[in-house]
Amino acid sequence: MVWRCAGLRWEGGAPGLRWEGGRVSRLGYGRPLGFRAVGSRRCPGARGNPCPLAATVPARATGGTCPECGRLDRLRSVAADTAVDDPRPYRVYLAWFGPGMVKVGITAEARGDARLLEQGAVAFCWLGRGPLMAARRTEELLRHALKVPDRIPYARKRAVRHELPPPPVRAREIEDLHCRAVGLAGWAETLEPSEIRVFDHGEAFRLDGLPPLSGTVVELADGGAVTGRLLAAAGPDLHLLDGEGRVLALDTRLMNGWGLVSAAPGEAVSVPVLGCAAQRQDGLF
């Protein structure tokens, strides 16, 4: 039976694969995971609507949608600043991914820490809450004043997950930035600062004892298989131990729109994998 994938979903602090139609298959750490792609990769549509063109999507595209559906998705997007009239309260946060790797961002308060799980934030803290545009202005202030970005490439996040310092060390880095942030002048008046409290996702991601990466899956292909034992998950990434003893990262955004079937027991990985040495050479790490 063929199931068409709609990516990874974090629900109740645990990862699961989503399928067209809404079903979610919970993923278990330490358990085998194996599938084979069939047919072609199709655009899944946008905002609950199927793609009117049933367009094919390039295998290496992490966006996973065709240009038309991509534009539709951005029509009401906080990230693209096209939802400025959103009346919901928002939160500004600091997210930690590794030593010296911190970003600032905003998320709807109703989403809780879902956005942080989706990004693969190992630790985070809230900085303040208030209306959307106040949160956006404060985010910009903090980005420039603290010299922290609003985006960090996933390749950099993956590269350090096996050698992270313990929770108290990563908490101290966030606490230091929080203290500097709340002491800045120029915060939006309608944004209420939050007291310092650091949350840690290391256990939810199962990062303790994670071996270093051997390589990263760069695309799926018709008939190509991905198999292994699930060691960890962070953001959209799955870390798998394959039958050859390699630790591979699979960005589940590459799975969006593919029809998948179960792989045969013992089937080897047969999709393109880029080794870590090549990634460093290309400047991805």
Side-chain angles (χ1 to χ4, degrees), residues 40-43 51 53-59 64-67:
S40 60
R41 188 184 188 193
R42 296 207 309 260
C43 173
C51 176
L53 305 175
T56 57
V57 181
T65 59
C66 70

Side-chain angles (χ1 to χ4, degrees), residues 29-30 201-210 231-233:
Y29 296 123
H201 287 148
E203 186 175 341
F205 292 159
R206 199 61 63 87
L207 298 179
D208 188 29
L210 182 67
L231 300 179

Side-chain angles (χ1 to χ4, degrees), residues 128-215:
R129 69 180 298 275
L132 172 58
M133 294 314 295
R136 180 64 84 199
R137 287 195 298 273
T138 305
E139 176 193 28
E140 284 300 300
L141 166 72
L142 298 175
R143 188 166 67 87
H144 292 289
L146 300 179
K147 292 182 170 52
V148 292
D150 57 359
R151 283 184 175 83
I152 295 176
Y154 277 106
R156 290 187 59 205
K157 299 175 189 179
R158 294 181 196 117
V160 299
R161 287 182 187 139
H162 68 284
E163 54 182 4
L164 297 175
V169 175
R170 48 209 197 212
R172 280 197 295 272
E173 188 172 349
I174 297 179
E175 289 166 352
D176 177 62
L177 282 171
H178 184 282
C179 288
R180 290 169 55 194
V182 297
L184 292 171
W187 277 53
E189 293 182 2
T190 51
L191 197 84
E192 174 190 352
S194 301
E195 292 186 3
I196 179 63
R197 181 185 175 189
V198 178
F199 302 86
D200 199 279
H201 287 148
E203 186 175 341
F205 292 159
R206 199 61 63 87
L207 298 179
D208 188 29
L210 182 67
L213 279 178
S214 306

